Amino acid sequence: MYRTIFLEKHKEHNAKLVDFAGWEMPINYPDGIIKESNFVRDDAGMFDVSHMGRVEISGKNSRDLIQKMLPINIDSLDASIAKYTLLINDKEEILDDLIVYQISDEKFLLVINASNTEEDLKWIKSINNDSIIENITEKTGMLAIQGPNAIKKINSITNNSLANLGRYRHKEINIGGASVFVARTGYTGEDGVEIIFQNSHANAIWDNLHKLSINPCGLGARDLLRIEAGLHLYGHEITKESNPYNIGLGRLLETSSKNYINYEYINGDKIKEGKDVLVGLIIKDRGIAREGNEIYINDKIIGKITSGTHSPRIKSAIAIGKLNKKFNNSKNTVKIKVREKYLEADIIKLPFYRRKK
Amino acid sequence: MSAVPENLKYSEDHEWVKIEDNVAIIGITMHAAESLGDIVYIDVDSLGKDLKQFEKFGEIESVKAVSDLFVPVSGKVVEINEELTNNPEYVNEDCYEKGWIIKLEVENSNDLEKLLGSSDYEKII
């Protein structure tokens, strides 16, 4: 199994460790998923996300490779911007969702899902144009620091370094002598940052953050928080076969460049004929709807659950479901088949939780 | 290391039972509660129902998973811990006292012979 640079830290904090996409990762610490999710909503928490793939693409043709590979409007990138996008291959299959960061005129960073790293790299190398493609996952660490007090806390030990950093912007800062790449991004619905650094700095950075009462949180809390925030997870809301318009991601297909490898696919008619939609479901009965459970209206199957959990904010079970657009009406009450029971649920527009600005 | 009190009997399905005046008080062990993580729903059979030893009597659901509950002894349901409806976290916080789940009127005290003592239970967790 792969190990992140923080495995010993997780053990010191008595984490429950699980196999996640081949990585030995903390699902939760002794506080448990609900309390950890509260740290993030009420104060600040940190997540080891070093398992996520980090790939640098550089060289004089790197900008062209990014334009060929991703459906983004390349002119909207500059050397401080990060962008959420999709990696789609020439078979119209979504290989991943990712964040691309432009580092300099001739250098880009992709942060991709752990479970997809190998396949993504294979595809990117197959369309390479003499750019340098380097997987830096194993020589770097990555932490997400999330919560309403995250920025304030980091500012307090970095000479206010994040004061002018906008959402989806990135820069280099210094934490206790270590040079750190920091982006104002996240996966929890809270304000916060994701940071990347050389492995040799990892323990010192963890200790510096922990001293600020930023508690470690596991993948269980991360999943709960992203479901509340209505954020997609590859393998659940996004699959290889997904039509981006069916899962609320049509807006990501923004390029008008013919150099994009899927220019014809994203500008064709077929893709716009999406019949499905992702919705939020608030379960009114007792029980959690989970991935794969069928959604019914009047004994007719209209969709399936893609993710489900219990929300301490909503104080009931919540789920994300993919259903036929025709039935997407908040006046509809649906039933979700969970084992032998049918749970009643209300349809809402995602997300379940939106932070106060 | 999860606590395994010496004065209780245990099933291999991770329920504990304590007999007081012919009434069996039943819950899940700390090992089970820790494996499940944050518990959010506990649904059990109704009062008056007769249950056979190791028969399913309900479900316990955490943020991560759902698990069946089995009675470690046979008997009639005489009390359900109603507190758990609104405070399922009692099972995580105090599984052997505040977090008890159900009480049965014991039919046959020989049922206990099929259960594990604390030291044998410790060996399987």
Side-chain angles (χ1 to χ4, degrees):
Chain A
M1 205 150 20
Y2 297 112
R3 297 162 158 205
T4 79
I5 191 71
F6 292 113
L7 185 65
E8 289 311 312
K9 289 286 181 201
H10 302 321
K11 288 180 177 169
E12 275 172 36
H13 286 270
N14 298 308
K16 182 190 277 186
L17 296 163
V18 296
D19 175 353
F20 180 85
W23 290 79
E24 192 170 8
M25 297 299 290
I27 181 90
N28 59 267
Y29 299 86
D31 283 312
I33 292 173
I34 291 179
K35 283 199 187 119
E36 289 167 27
S37 78
N38 294 342
F39 296 152
V40 174
R41 289 280 181 250
D42 300 337
D43 184 9
M46 64 171 161
F47 303 82
D48 176 13
V49 288
S50 307
H51 61 306
M52 298 196 74
R54 292 175 288 289
V55 176
E56 278 181 355
I57 296 182
S58 58
K60 62 180 189 324
N61 297 326
S62 55
R63 197 175 182 87
D64 290 342
L65 180 57
I66 294 292
Q67 178 66 94
K68 187 173 167 189
M69 176 167 58
L70 300 173
I72 55 173
N73 175 8
I74 196 94
D75 294 331
S76 68
L77 282 188
D78 70 33
S80 69
I81 285 188
K83 222 161 191 188
Y84 176 64
T85 187
L86 297 173
L87 182 66
I88 307 175
N89 70 8
D90 58 353
K91 299 189 186 76
E92 302 173 1
E93 294 168 332
I94 302 182
L95 295 182
D96 213 346
D97 62 330
L98 60 88
I99 294 184
V100 55
Y101 305 79
Q102 183 172 340
I103 308 295
S104 67
D105 284 348
E106 296 188 357
K107 191 168 175 184
F108 297 81
L109 170 72
L110 308 179
V111 174
I112 58 187
N113 280 296
S115 52
N116 296 332
T117 300
E118 247 174 75
E119 201 172 345
D120 291 358
L121 274 171
K122 209 167 110 187
W123 163 246
I124 295 167
K125 284 176 182 165
S126 78
I127 58 167
N128 191 11
N129 59 359
D130 298 328
S131 296
I132 300 157
I133 298 170
E134 192 191 357
N135 182 355
I136 60 162
T137 310
E138 286 187 36
K139 63 182 192 192
T140 54
M142 182 165 177
L143 291 171
I145 302 103
Q146 302 278 298
N149 296 330
I151 300 292
K152 197 166 64 189
K153 287 188 174 190
I154 297 171
N155 274 339
S156 74
I157 55 163
T158 61
N159 203 11
N160 239 6
S161 67
L162 305 179
N164 296 313
L165 187 68
R167 290 286 293 167
Y168 277 83
R169 295 277 166 165
H170 64 80
K171 66 189 285 192
E172 292 279 335
I173 64 167
N174 185 301
I175 299 182
S179 173
V180 174
F181 172 90
V182 50
R184 198 148 179 181
T185 52
Y187 193 49
T188 59
E190 293 301 333
D191 195 6
V193 292
E194 293 173 298
I195 64 175
I196 299 172
F197 37 81
Q198 294 301 312
N199 277 343
S200 54
H201 298 312
N203 284 337
I205 289 170
W206 175 289
D207 292 340
N208 277 318
L209 295 171
H210 194 240
K211 271 186 228 152
L212 301 170
S213 300
I214 300 176
N215 285 316
C217 304
L219 293 181
R222 185 168 153 87
D223 194 51
L224 193 167
L225 292 160
R226 72 95 192 162
I227 294 173
E228 285 183 337
L231 298 170
H232 299 68
L233 176 59
Y234 192 91
H236 301 260
E237 285 69 35
I238 306 172
T239 64
K240 220 171 209 180
E241 297 75 29
S242 298
N243 173 340
Y245 283 90
N246 274 344
I247 53 173
L249 297 180
R251 69 188 150 84
L252 300 182
L253 308 176
E254 61 181 23
T255 185
S256 52
S257 165
K258 289 189 175 161
N259 294 327
Y260 175 51
I261 202 153
N262 284 303
Y263 174 81
E264 286 183 16
Y265 169 55
I266 68 167
N267 286 292
D269 294 332
K270 192 178 80 181
I271 194 170
K272 307 228 163 83
E273 287 165 8
K275 290 188 181 67
D276 294 332
V277 63
L278 289 180
V279 299
L281 296 157
I282 297 183
I283 318 293
K284 300 199 283 189
D285 293 316
R286 292 166 58 80
I288 297 178
R290 298 186 192 267
E291 187 184 4
N293 292 160
E294 291 161 340
I295 307 167
Y296 290 81
I297 272 185
N298 302 330
D299 302 330
K300 183 180 153 60
I301 296 184
I302 59 160
K304 275 190 179 176
I305 300 299
T306 54
S307 297
T309 189
H310 176 86
S311 166
R313 254 61 57 186
I314 309 285
K315 295 189 171 43
S316 76
I318 58 170
I320 300 175
K322 189 172 155 192
L323 49 83
N324 188 311
K325 262 183 198 164
K326 278 196 304 204
F327 299 100
N328 180 20
N329 184 331
S330 60
K331 289 186 190 108
N332 282 340
T333 296
V334 297
K335 298 218 171 199
I336 303 165
K337 190 177 179 198
V338 178
R339 294 180 302 283
E340 73 278 21
K341 285 187 288 197
Y342 287 85
L343 306 179
E344 222 172 73
D346 286 333
I347 298 177
I348 67 147
K349 189 175 183 298
L350 289 167
F352 299 97
Y353 170 86
R354 214 185 276 276
R355 79 191 149 97
K356 294 186 194 83
K357 300 212 169 151
Chain B
M1 190 64 203
S2 309
V4 182
E6 281 179 16
N7 59 331
L8 306 177
K9 290 283 197 177
Y10 299 89
S11 70
E12 289 177 10
D13 301 310
H14 310 289
E15 286 87 13
W16 58 263
V17 58
K18 179 161 82 177
I19 308 288
E20 278 179 359
D21 302 333
N22 212 39
V23 170
I25 308 165
I26 292 162
I28 66 164
T29 66
M30 188 187 278
H31 171 76
E34 283 175 353
S35 311
L36 281 165
D38 289 329
I39 290 160
V40 289
Y41 297 110
I42 297 150
D43 282 313
V44 298
D45 279 336
S46 42
L47 284 177
K49 183 157 180 189
D50 281 308
L51 293 162
K52 289 275 162 269
Q53 189 174 27
F54 305 129
E55 191 179 344
K56 180 178 167 181
F57 76 97
E59 288 177 352
I60 188 160
E61 183 149 25
S62 71
V63 175
K64 285 180 314 205
V66 63
S67 180
D68 288 337
L69 294 163
F70 303 95
V71 284
V73 294
S74 303
K76 187 195 288 282
V77 181
V78 291
E79 200 178 337
I80 289 165
N81 188 352
E82 305 285 355
E83 291 278 310
L84 299 183
T85 308
N86 291 322
N87 304 289
E89 68 277 10
Y90 286 177
V91 178
N92 294 109
E93 291 165 2
D94 188 10
C95 64
Y96 297 115
E97 296 288 339
K98 264 182 7 187
W100 67 272
I101 297 173
I102 199 168
K103 291 184 186 177
L104 304 182
E105 196 177 274
V106 179
E107 245 173 44
N108 184 348
S109 56
N110 291 341
D111 282 354
L112 293 176
E113 290 166 17
K114 293 180 199 154
L115 300 176
L116 306 171
S118 58
S119 56
D120 286 333
Y121 179 67
E122 264 178 20
K123 284 179 200 152
I124 67 165
I125 61 174

